[in-house]
Amino acid sequence: MSWIVREDGFRKERITTNSNKFMIGNGYMGYRGTMEEFTKSELTATTLAGLYDKVGDKWREPVNAPNGLFTRIQCDGSVLSVLEAEPLEHEQELDMQHGLHRRKTTFSAKGDNRVTVLSERFCSAERLHLIVNRITIHCSKDCELLITTGIDGDVWDINGPHLERMVGQVEDNCLVMKGWTHELNQPVSVVEAIECNFGEKTIITEEQSIYRQIVVQYRAGEKYTFTKYVSVYTGMDEVENISLAAVQSSLEALRVGYAQLFLEQAVIWNRKWEMSDVTIEGDKEAQHALRYSMYQLHIIAPEQSEKVSIPARGLSGQVYKGAVFWDTEMFMLPFFLYTQPEVARNLMMYRVHTLDGARRKAAEYGFEGAFYAWESQETGDDACTLFNVNDVFTGRPMRTYFRDKQVHISADVVHGIWQYYTFTGDESILLDGGAEVIWECAKFFYSYAYYNSRKERYEVLDVTGPDEYHERVNNNAFTNMLVKQTLFVTIEVMKYLQNKNPERYEIILSKEQDGITLEQISHMYDHLYVPQPDQDNKLISQFDGYFKLEDVSLTELKSRIMNKNEYLGGGNGLATTTQILKQADVILMLHLFKDRFDQETKQANWKFYEPRTEHGSSLSSCIYALVASDIGSPDWAYPYFMRTATIDLTGESKQYVGDLYIGGTHPAANGGAWMAAVLGFAGLRYQGDDVIISPALPEKWTAIEFPLCVRGQSYKVCVSKEEVHITSHINNTNTMLFTICGQSITVPGGQEITAPYNCIIQT
Amino acid sequence: MSWIVREDGFRKERITTNSNKFMIGNGYMGYRGTMEEFTKSELTATTLAGLYDKVGDKWREPVNAPNGLFTRIQCDGSVLSVLEAEPLEHEQELDMQHGLHRRKTTFSAKGDNRVTVLSERFCSAERLHLIVNRITIHCSKDCELLITTGIDGDVWDINGPHLERMVGQVEDNCLVMKGWTHELNQPVSVVEAIECNFGEKTIITEEQSIYRQIVVQYRAGEKYTFTKYVSVYTGMDEVENISLAAVQSSLEALRVGYAQLFLEQAVIWNRKWEMSDVTIEGDKEAQHALRYSMYQLHIIAPEQSEKVSIPARGLSGQVYKGAVFWDTEMFMLPFFLYTQPEVARNLMMYRVHTLDGARRKAAEYGFEGAFYAWESQETGDDACTLFNVNDVFTGRPMRTYFRDKQVHISADVVHGIWQYYTFTGDESILLDGGAEVIWECAKFFYSYAYYNSRKERYEVLDVTGPDEYHERVNNNAFTNMLVKQTLFVTIEVMKYLQNKNPERYEIILSKEQDGITLEQISHMYDHLYVPQPDQDNKLISQFDGYFKLEDVSLTELKSRIMNKNEYLGGGNGLATTTQILKQADVILMLHLFKDRFDQETKQANWKFYEPRTEHGSSLSSCIYALVASDIGSPDWAYPYFMRTATIDLTGESKQYVGDLYIGGTHPAANGGAWMAAVLGFAGLRYQGDDVIISPALPEKWTAIEFPLCVRGQSYKVCVSKEEVHITSHINNTNTMLFTICGQSITVPGGQEITAPYNCIIQT
């Protein structure tokens, strides 16, 4: 059952949570796990990747397409809906193995009639524009059914409505609903073709919707099945006539039929899991949660486009403006990098394509180079506003500095590209624009940093680090460390380019009007201040003056809260004057640069910062898990791992900041769960030389097995408490050096080796 | 009547305001204008200059001495107090000419008895420890009077009580009340000797008080007069036994008698006015208000001590912790400098004596040199707390950055010393410690500033300028300009010292462990960025990014206010994200450096910033008046001048910020009124070469006359609309160059000249 996510019974208060939990998607679009009879008040949404719209001065956000999966069934005049009356039975489940959503409800209808509705749907992984939905109805008594099914264009929007001039019509026996976005006049078409060999059909057209009504004289005991083939096209797709393309897509699907379409789906999903699935022995709960985390990543991965990346709430709606944050590089990228490097490449190429937006942002603030958007949409311009949260006490918008001061984003992008390049050895990423991104980010930091003449060093001032409760600080250790890495990478890449592609090298440098030179970058690299561990207690100050802040316990801080939704950061937030942090900050640095700090330093800082972390971000727990594993304390890590891996299963995450709804799925935590398991407990890492495995398994795990794709070679790695077993794929041509608990082992292509060890830190 | 400030009738709601308005003082102590029968609930206070105390973790503030002027009169058993019943008649007045407070009240007593109490009191300007109080009682009927008079030790304190172990006793027929401060165990003694040749006297001792009860069988029509000679000594005074000294002082006063003591008072006050009084022809209201402003400065001037300076609320109580702010250098110093340079010297020597405190503050923040206290008390350590204002919506203390970021204070101190030196030519200020202060302040700024490698300039980052509604800004024009001046002054002074006193020069430099060199200071001076007027519109940006803030009208901003006491600055203050400023900032810079900016620039900026200024500080209006005069618009200036000059007469100033009481007198505004009149309308200035007079009189002023003391020479200057008349004092030995409306005139010692002019900007 570890492939199935399931809930029995229906509870109204779980609608929002379960619609996130039971999402399906294919990277092109996400479809929330709502019931067929739901409308916008239950937050139905078909969220489109990369298509954004802005209405008036409201926030710019992704567009939800008209809902092609709307179906309402009436039996002898009464509506069968979980919203109307408590169903006799209800179950909702997700078949993660195939990306399939299933819902089965038994309603009580007139005259003791038991009506069971089974609905199955999937976003086709083979045909990205297509959603397929098959509905089967079974009644215990003779009755008259009235089925209303079609396209509901009156969709949920946070800052909409986004589609205007909506037109519904019928073409080639398909329902077509088309509208245009406000801001850019982009068309969106949704088309439904239906396979339904029963009943009398009538077309109903409403202002924003188009339906078929199907009237059926039902005979007890029979099964009635119909299938909807819904296609979505937008102006972003490179087709001439999007409605025509959608009609063709739906008619083609109709022709192919449900069974064959599902087979295609199964083949692709099988491949996804083959490349990524992790099995855990000895812990079914962890196994289930980890697999679910990977499922969430698979349904939103932009497998076929390098123009979009993954938003912070995936494709679960319009929360956070559907924007791409640092979450992608720091929390999601590793999963793809180690399992599906081509997706990782797409994610990084998105940054190349949005370089101009980052250049505009830098220029807007008076800096050189590229200052990447804190909240990036399709152009790379920053969707982040200066006022992000409302003060719960006054209702006034609060000035926050996410947009202005989280400069680490440019370093995160460079880190991502460098990770990709190091891991895959794929030089094309540099030549296809990556080198330029890196150079522009270095220039940005050179123009952002200041030189302290007194201390003879560069400093990075007035920034916000990952811990957003402390805005506008100086010399945030994490930020400075990443800036230093950016400069290092820049020097390396420019050296590489000068050798490998002197023309490109000259082109990049010749573009410089501002005259920042590689010598200046080098000088800054040599003299950039990065806060170091204290000689005595080994603690690293999160930023200048951090240790002078009030040292209050989290319990005490929480007792000061007057309104449960009050924001702890911002102007007067309760945490801002204390040592309480929102999320891993120094600890994240210790994870990213684990080789540069000794165990004592990592341990001291973990112990210091852990009780001071409020985990107000879903990005926090996995990092504490990772570093706990690294310092040989997997059982400190385990609760953090589980908290991360179950976040979208339980739905127990922060839903509001101020009066701002921030619910939805959490792909960064999903990625974090994978990291905690594979990079943390299994202790895997690769930085261009050997594959290192330093396991620290939780007590009840007897083994963990996972695939690995590195430098074009595929492996299966199984880490148990006694040994590491490595299978080099039969097609591998290269030999790879593995270092297992410090011992080097060469694994030739196509062979298997077993490396027993004694030195694993047991718990 | 322009020497008299008077109010008729008694209104309870005016108690606090009038107690400020009718203050007396002598620089050693201030005595609030309360009635003799008042106690701490009416905020009676004898506020001592320079003696501070701290109780627990409450704010450190000046000590109020026991109230030696307490007198309660009962007539036939009923208490005669304005608090008990409305008096038949009541008047309160201040004789500004002599620093005398007078109160006359007629009470209705039993049996249609009209009892009139006349009380006169003054803080002796000759004998700084002494307050004299003469009370005369007249009744219309025979009656029994019970007079309770003595020392009330149960005094008003904001963060007290400050005196403990209080002991009352009688010595040499004097009442003695002694107590010790909490923190430093400093003793405070108040002694009263009485001249009273009637009645039966009994001593009453209470826990914190000691009184005499005088019982009189009063015969209708007679006048009974008694006089109290109250002396105050503290552990700060250099005497061995403070109670003994106080007893001797009171007995000596008793021997000398009221008439002679008042004569002494008149002589000294006569001299004060001779050196300072300004007469305005054609505007009685302005005349009165300006004189009153000077009166307020005279009663708090530290004439005989260079260890204390003038607190922001004078000696009117404990508001603002009795602390010395930049107010002294920037708003009060000029009055003393132009009229009583020896007081100006004391004010500046206070900064020399508190240099070590400023050094400690710099070190505390990790900087070199001297970072002067934002709120300075006797040691120069900063009394300013990190949380200054409570949020009215939550009641929580708000983090503010007055202490950390108003670095301009160190430049203000240097400006003050430089002003003093330039004006007087008194080199001793430099040799007595001034040079060291200047050098330390320069070092502070060198360590505080950063070098922008990209722009090849030093910048002053993360500061709060005079406009405290915008905290933590970069490159505040005012601050950068003053820092630049500090560096200039440092170079000049060190050059001077090297020539004049090479030993001292070597000593100052040899103290350097930190190795900051004069070359480095010079380099910073040459490359320090100071925001300049825009080439097109001439506007100077108050700080980096100011023009990007919301450009909202003051009316609109005020309409957003939800609680009348809410603070507009701080974390989430309404003004912080807008262009609305608390007080003159750029405009203050244009005043201080008026020679460096052309008229067009001054005009453009005045017009731009004036409608955007909320005048949330009493320091603001006078600066707008000064610059309006400077640009030839005295009638724009006039309302600002009057607002400044009447602030303590009307009492119409901000009384609360959040829930913090900030009432009291406003010596900075008092000094500002003088500046607006003499430096503004009369257009006087002296910067070491010639005395410049560029008048711009308000419409109804026909002339303004004032004394002037410059470089040891005394003058009387009369500016009318047709001419300037200058009288060089008979004792003057030197010739002085005057420049009147651009025309140079030499005025030999002891002579009078009249300079008619045509070029004055008439309105």
Side-chain angles (χ1 to χ4, degrees), chain B residues 429-480:
Chain B
I429 190 86
L430 301 179
L431 300 172
D432 288 352
E436 197 148 353
V437 167
I438 291 165
W439 174 245
E440 294 287 303
C441 289
K443 275 168 50 186
F444 167 66
F445 287 119
Y446 185 78
S447 70
Y448 192 88
Y450 280 89
Y451 189 70
N452 185 325
S453 310
R454 178 78 196 108
K455 297 179 177 162
E456 298 179 337
R457 68 190 193 190
Y458 289 86
E459 299 185 15
V460 186
L461 305 173
D462 200 4
V463 305
T464 304
D467 166 22
E468 292 166 326
Y469 290 164
H470 295 95
E471 296 186 315
R472 307 196 56 199
V473 302
N474 293 337
N475 296 312
N476 170 255
F478 169 89
T479 302
N480 287 27

Side-chain angles (χ1 to χ4, degrees), chain A residues 6-61:
Chain A
R6 176 166 172 169
E7 285 205 21
D8 286 334
F10 176 76
R11 283 180 294 153
K12 260 193 182 158
E13 66 276 14
R14 293 278 294 175
I15 289 179
T16 305
T17 300
N18 280 354
S19 305
N20 293 319
K21 180 170 171 176
F22 290 97
M23 267 197 63
I24 56 172
N26 62 8
Y28 179 84
M29 60 190 152
Y31 193 88
R32 288 173 66 77
T34 47
M35 299 300 98
E36 285 67 18
E37 62 268 34
F38 286 179
T39 62
K40 67 177 180 182
S41 40
E42 291 76 39
L43 319 188
T44 51
T46 314
T47 304
L48 302 176
L51 179 64
Y52 297 88
D53 185 54
K54 183 177 167 74
V55 177
D57 58 358
K58 291 196 264 186
W59 283 357
R60 201 164 185 274
E61 64 189 10

Side-chain angles (χ1 to χ4, degrees), chain B residues 80 142 188 196 257 349 402 439 554 638 670 739 749:
Chain B
L80 306 180
D142 286 5
V188 174
C196 175
M349 283 305 292
F402 305 117
W439 174 245
L554 197 51
Y638 187 77
N670 306 146
T739 300

Side-chain angles (χ1 to χ4, degrees), chain A residues 69 509 585 588 618 741:
Chain A
L69 265 52
L509 287 183
D585 193 307
L588 175 54
S618 60
C741 293

Side-chain angles (χ1 to χ4, degrees), chain A residues 40 46-48 51-55 58 61-68 151-167 177-190 207-209 232-235 242 318:
Chain A
K40 67 177 180 182
T46 314
T47 304
L48 302 176
L51 179 64
Y52 297 88
D53 185 54
K54 183 177 167 74
V55 177
K58 291 196 264 186
E61 64 189 10
V63 172
N64 282 336
N67 177 18
I151 307 168
D152 175 9
D154 185 17
V155 299
W156 172 48
D157 276 320
I158 298 179
N159 297 292
H162 293 294
L163 295 178
E164 53 187 24
R165 290 177 283 137
M166 293 187 70
V167 186
M177 176 58 57
K178 187 172 183 181
W180 283 263
T181 65
H182 245 74
E183 184 192 23
L184 302 172
N185 201 35
Q186 284 280 21
V188 173
S189 267
V190 176
E207 205 180 333
Q208 301 178 70
S209 304
V232 182
Y233 271 82
T234 80
I242 61 162
Q318 294 159 324

